[in-house]
Amino acid sequence: NAGVTQTPKFRILKIGQSMTLQCTQDMNHNYMYWYRQDPGMGLKLIYYSVGAGITDKGEVPNGYNVSRSTTEDFPLRLELAAPSQTSVYFCASSRDTGAGYTFGSGTRLTVV
Amino acid sequence: DQQVKQNSPSLSVQEGRISILNCDYTNSMFDYFLWYKKYPAEGPTFLISISSIKDKNEDGRFTVFLNKSAKHLSLHIVPSQPGDSAVYFCAATSHSGGSNYKLTFGKGTLLTVNP
């Protein structure tokens, strides 16, 4: 059982470039989330989804976009990378309450 | 405005002693609280939780205490082991409004257990 798989693990982007962070879960969870963690800070919710075809903004959505075409996949898109988006990104999924959160191992993104 | 606060960025304890990690919250709608543990280069993993209808929940060496009047919870680890060295995040959610699946996290506390 793979759980939540994130790719890539590391990436360096130049300012203005775009990329997609991939996230896949195999637990048939309805809820999926994208968080970012900046040094010395907690996890901030970027976007979340309550099911295929349904997404909504979290605390810090600016500069990001998401889609949820299937239950399994929840990619996060950065269109015009900025240095402020340098962070570690975590994807997570849950069946319902927070106790069921399963996190991926994270993507460390650096924008230079 | 930070709704979940972990005011101690770090804590160092000796192996075998008790570790106490603290968390305060400001949102009175929060009714379910969780602790997550995170090792370097890994995602957070769920450790223990507590509902607001309880004041204590125990799971092996880990116990969480909730003081609703003070809006304060704490995680006790007894005895502490070197493998417990990690960042611990406090998180909270509310079951009102149908958004109980969204968690609010604190900044985390780095626990170091010295052999």
Side-chain angles (χ1 to χ4, degrees):
Chain A
N1 190 344
V4 177
T5 302
Q6 288 184 240
T7 57
K9 292 192 182 300
F10 304 95
R11 183 73 184 268
I12 298 175
L13 277 183
K14 292 185 178 179
I15 294 172
Q17 286 185 319
S18 56
M19 76 164 294
T20 300
L21 282 67
Q22 302 292 346
C23 176
T24 299
Q25 54 95 4
D26 61 359
M27 297 168 286
N28 202 33
H29 285 170
N30 287 325
Y31 302 97
M32 295 189 74
Y33 318 84
W34 275 104
Y35 284 88
R36 60 177 285 174
Q37 185 191 10
D38 299 324
M41 303 295 287
L43 289 86
K44 298 286 187 183
L45 182 63
I46 305 171
Y47 269 95
Y48 66 96
S49 169
V50 301
I54 306 169
T55 63
D56 208 347
K57 297 177 181 179
E59 297 176 76
V60 289
N62 292 342
Y64 308 94
N65 275 302
V66 293
S67 60
R68 184 95 182 270
S69 57
T70 66
T71 299
E72 295 77 22
D73 300 307
F74 190 42
L76 178 71
R77 178 83 178 162
L78 284 72
E79 290 294 347
L80 292 169
S84 61
Q85 294 178 303
T86 294
S87 189
V88 181
Y89 292 83
F90 290 101
C91 179
S93 72
S94 70
R95 189 173 306 283
D96 41 47
T97 64
Y101 264 52
T102 300
F103 282 88
S105 58
T107 295
R108 183 174 295 274
L109 175 68
T110 302
V111 182
V112 295
Chain B
D1 179 32
Q2 204 178 348
Q3 299 185 67
V4 177
K5 301 178 184 179
Q6 293 177 258
N7 293 319
S8 298
S10 62
L11 175 68
S12 182
V13 301
Q14 286 300 119
E15 181 177 6
R17 306 293 291 269
I18 184 171
S19 296
I20 300 177
L21 295 94
N22 294 304
C23 178
D24 297 292
Y25 61 96
T26 58
N27 189 340
S28 58
M29 299 301 293
F30 287 150
D31 57 7
Y32 194 71
F33 305 89
L34 309 93
W35 286 93
Y36 282 80
K37 177 180 180 179
K38 183 184 178 304
Y39 291 117
E42 295 184 12
T45 56
F46 170 72
L47 189 57
I48 192 169
S49 63
I50 188 167
S51 166
S52 60
I53 62 174
K54 296 185 176 181
D55 55 17
K56 176 182 174 182
N57 189 26
E58 191 172 356
D59 183 2
R61 296 186 297 114
F62 302 90
T63 303
V64 56
F65 296 92
L66 175 62
N67 182 334
K68 290 189 294 292
S69 61
K71 293 191 177 67
H72 176 84
L73 62 154
S74 60
L75 174 68
H76 292 212
I77 306 174
V78 183
S80 301
Q81 299 174 354
D84 295 329
S85 298
V87 176
Y88 290 79
F89 289 101
C90 175
T93 188
S94 168
H95 282 77
S96 64
S99 61
N100 58 296
Y101 47 85
K102 290 194 291 182
L103 298 180
T104 300
F105 286 85
K107 293 184 179 182
T109 296
L110 173 62
L111 173 66
T112 303
V113 180
N114 301 303

